[in-house]
Amino acid sequence: AQSVTQLGSHVSVSEGALVLLRCNYSSSVPPYLFWYVQYPNQGLQLLLKYTSAATLVKGINGFEAEFKKSETSFHLTKPSAHMSDAAEYFCAVSDGGNEKLTFGTGTRLTIIP
Amino acid sequence: SAVISQKPSRDICQRGTSLTIQCQVDSQVTMMFWYRQQPGQSLTLIATANQGSEATYESGFVIDKFPISRPNLTFSTLTVSNMSPEDSSIYLCSVAKGLRAFFGQGTRLTVV
């Protein structure tokens, strides 16, 4: 069985500061990992995904995530937060192939002016 | 929070037929979303359904292929019409309550 744990349901950072959203996964096979973002009153958008290629994955809007097998982690980072980054972020895992995504519970990111 | 009941959980259908997927929420919500997850792919938004208005479709998805109903604030259906093997996917219903998203368990569709 696969699972995802997102540490911190709420994260607040100052504008211009580093954004770090944590995600740890559990999977019995090499996983596919995803980060999604949901802005207010909108559907999910894919930020980035890891599918066993490069361990450092770059996504949209300046976000990136690093797959660390030894730590079973896939933390999302952005060097400098913008006000427009305020949203809900979801980490998700799939065992690949036909397995559906399992989502974490989400982290709400607030940006402090 | 919101609890979503989605059915069927899986189905195997003949090409050329249609399947209607139902999504029931335990509370009233303004917006409901339908997603598709093709094998080995990430989630793709098909459309957004608001009660009392036509659904808004994303690029690459059309109403004739994926008609959606939203008769009230707790229920929606997605129909996959005139199915082909390329429609084999997992279809997922989701609701948004403010900044939170909640998901159904998904419908695994196989078209043969």
Side-chain angles (χ1 to χ4, degrees), chain B residues 16-105:
Chain B
T17 63
S18 298
L19 174 72
T20 296
I21 302 168
Q22 299 180 4
C23 180
Q24 179 75 51
V25 189
D26 68 341
S27 58
Q28 294 185 340
V29 293
T30 302
M31 308 181 74
M32 297 180 75
F33 305 92
W34 287 98
Y35 294 90
R36 180 176 73 182
Q37 184 193 356
Q38 293 178 299
Q41 303 295 317
S42 62
L43 227 53
T44 301
L45 180 64
I46 297 171
T48 302
N50 291 323
Q51 193 269 334
S53 62
E54 278 198 5
T56 302
Y57 289 82
E58 298 298 307
S59 176
F61 298 96
V62 295
I63 188 172
D64 289 346
K65 176 66 177 177
F66 297 101
I68 289 171
S69 77
R70 183 80 202 275
N72 56 53
L73 291 172
T74 63
F75 187 78
S76 179
T77 67
L78 170 76
T79 299
V80 186
S81 302
N82 188 24
M83 288 184 284
S84 67
E86 292 71 34
D87 294 319
S88 297
S89 292
I90 295 170
Y91 292 85
L92 202 66
C93 167
S94 173
V95 303
K97 300 189 82 170
L99 283 176
R100 304 292 305 185
F102 302 88
F103 302 92
Q105 293 303 304

Side-chain angles (χ1 to χ4, degrees), chain A residues 9-10 32 34 36 38-46 49 51 86-88 90 94 96-101 103-109, chain B residues 30-31 33 35 37-45 48 58 88-90 92 94-108:
Chain A
S9 59
H10 294 83
Y32 288 11
F34 306 82
Y36 289 86
Q38 184 179 27
Y39 298 102
N41 297 318
Q42 297 184 26
L44 288 176
Q45 297 177 33
L46 179 66
K49 64 179 179 180
T51 57
E88 184 93 11
F90 293 88
S94 168
N98 289 326
E99 295 303 315
K100 74 179 178 116
L101 289 169
F103 284 86
T105 52
T107 299
R108 184 179 305 178
L109 177 64
Chain B
T30 302
M31 308 181 74
F33 305 92
Y35 294 90
Q37 184 193 356
Q38 293 178 299
Q41 303 295 317
S42 62
L43 227 53
T44 301
L45 180 64
T48 302
E58 298 298 307
S88 297
S89 292
I90 295 170
L92 202 66
S94 173
V95 303
K97 300 189 82 170
L99 283 176
R100 304 292 305 185
F102 302 88
F103 302 92
Q105 293 303 304
T107 297
R108 187 186 298 272

Side-chain angles (χ1 to χ4, degrees), chain A residues 11-107:
Chain A
V11 172
S12 296
V13 301
S14 297
E15 189 175 15
L18 171 71
V19 175
L20 171 61
L21 304 183
R22 299 177 185 275
C23 173
N24 289 89
Y25 70 91
S26 172
S27 177
S28 58
V29 299
Y32 288 11
L33 293 159
F34 306 82
W35 274 101
Y36 289 86
V37 61
Q38 184 179 27
Y39 298 102
N41 297 318
Q42 297 184 26
L44 288 176
Q45 297 177 33
L46 179 66
L47 273 178
L48 49 82
K49 64 179 179 180
Y50 166 79
T51 57
S52 75
T55 57
L56 181 63
V57 182
K58 294 186 183 297
I60 62 172
N61 301 338
F63 285 93
E64 63 182 35
E66 185 173 8
F67 172 69
K68 292 187 176 180
K69 183 178 179 180
S70 61
E71 299 177 7
T72 61
S73 69
F74 191 58
H75 302 329
L76 181 71
T77 61
K78 182 174 181 178
S80 177
H82 295 165
M83 295 301 296
S84 60
D85 294 327
E88 184 93 11
Y89 292 81
F90 293 88
C91 181
V93 63
S94 168
D95 282 346
N98 289 326
E99 295 303 315
K100 74 179 178 116
L101 289 169
T102 298
F103 284 86
T105 52
T107 299

